[in-house]
Amino acid sequence: MENLNEYETQRELEASATSEKKIEDAKMKALRVIDNYERARRKTGERIYEHIENMAFYEGKQYQLSKYKVSRPWIVRMRTPHAKVAIDTRVASVVANDYRGDLLPMSPDGEKKVQILNDYKNDEWERLELNSIVKKAIKTSAIVREAYVHLIYDEGIEAYLIDNPASVYIDPRALQFRDARYICLLSRITKEEAMEDYPEYALAFSNMGAI
């Protein structure tokens, strides 16, 4: 009986050590994510206010912005939203009916395999209604300056237009989008949602108290 108690105690100690290591790993990962986010935020600033101003000019409501509610300079209430007309005209000139590209084989030997990939890509493109999403992204970027489509490939494929482009923070060291080592997508979730979405860190979240 004594040996059994010692065995159970040893198992409890090992489980406790494993749990503590998971919590510590989760904290370290969280710190890295926060550091990356802060780097990107310092580089780009708070773009949400610029987006709000751009949208106000597009809608012809710039005079309602607090920054323009001063005696001088005056902001004229235009009956014709010239910014909207200019943007809509420009967007209409660049939109297309189909934004799909074709995968091309590097050699004749790969034609059949590439064709299978093309068929799969086209099926998913239709299912996700990506033409519509891309059109919305073009319109949004023309108005507020930027837009992002979030493509998720896990067990299946999902795609959606990010509602708030200012919530996207890109590695400031990247000269091109493809060069980014990381991209942060900022959103607010509850602790319960975090525990459900990231079960491997559930214990760490539960020890955080109220968030």
Side-chain angles (χ1 to χ4, degrees):
M1 189 68 179
E2 183 177 350
N3 290 336
L4 179 60
N5 289 337
E6 290 178 355
Y7 176 70
E8 291 297 333
T9 301
Q10 181 64 26
R11 288 184 59 185
E12 291 174 359
L13 290 173
E14 291 176 354
S16 177
T18 301
S19 176
E20 291 178 0
K21 185 177 186 308
K22 286 184 177 180
I23 293 175
E24 188 62 29
D25 290 344
K27 289 180 179 179
M28 294 301 296
K29 182 177 181 180
L31 290 174
R32 288 195 299 271
V33 171
I34 292 172
D35 181 64
N36 287 338
Y37 158 71
E38 290 293 343
R39 287 171 182 267
R41 188 181 65 84
R42 287 193 296 269
K43 178 70 173 181
T44 60
E46 297 296 339
R47 295 120 62 210
I48 183 64
Y49 302 110
E50 297 175 12
H51 293 176
I52 291 173
E53 183 175 6
N54 290 340
M55 179 60 76
F57 272 93
Y58 176 77
E59 296 176 342
K61 298 178 180 179
Q62 62 273 18
Y63 60 87
Q64 296 181 359
L65 297 175
S66 58
K67 66 183 296 183
Y68 295 129
K69 287 185 177 180
V70 292
S71 58
R72 294 182 181 179
W74 296 281
I75 298 296
V76 180
R77 295 192 184 186
M78 298 181 181
R79 294 185 179 275
T80 302
H82 295 288
K84 181 180 187 304
V85 172
I87 289 174
D88 290 350
T89 301
R90 179 57 179 163
V91 169
S93 69
V94 298
V95 295
N97 293 324
D98 197 339
Y99 297 94
R100 282 176 294 191
D102 289 325
L103 302 175
L104 301 176
M106 298 294 292
S107 67
D109 295 337
E111 287 185 1
K112 290 185 178 180
K113 293 181 179 179
V114 171
Q115 185 57 49
I116 293 173
L117 288 175
N118 266 318
D119 292 342
Y120 175 73
K121 178 260 297 180
N122 291 334
D123 290 343
E124 288 299 293
W125 191 279
E126 293 292 340
R127 182 183 67 83
L128 296 169
E129 299 181 345
L130 278 171
N131 279 326
S132 176
I133 294 175
V134 171
K135 286 182 181 179
K136 291 178 182 177
I138 293 174
K139 180 69 174 289
T140 300
S141 64
I143 297 172
V144 301
R145 191 181 70 183
E146 56 187 313
Y148 303 95
V149 175
H150 193 188
L151 188 66
I152 305 171
Y153 185 81
D154 194 1
E155 296 180 355
I157 302 178
E158 299 178 32
Y160 65 93
L161 179 66
I162 295 175
D163 292 331
N164 178 16
S167 66
V168 178
Y169 293 87
I170 303 171
D171 179 5
R173 295 166 294 186
L175 299 179
Q176 301 180 61
F177 196 84
R178 67 179 63 185
D179 297 332
R181 297 182 181 180
Y182 66 86
I183 299 174
C184 295
L185 178 57
L186 187 65
S187 61
R188 292 183 179 274
I189 60 175
T190 65
K191 184 174 71 173
E192 289 72 22
E193 289 173 327
M195 294 174 67
E196 181 178 349
D197 293 343
Y198 306 98
E200 65 271 28
Y201 302 123
L203 184 57
F205 291 134
S206 64
N207 291 337
M208 288 181 181
I211 298 179

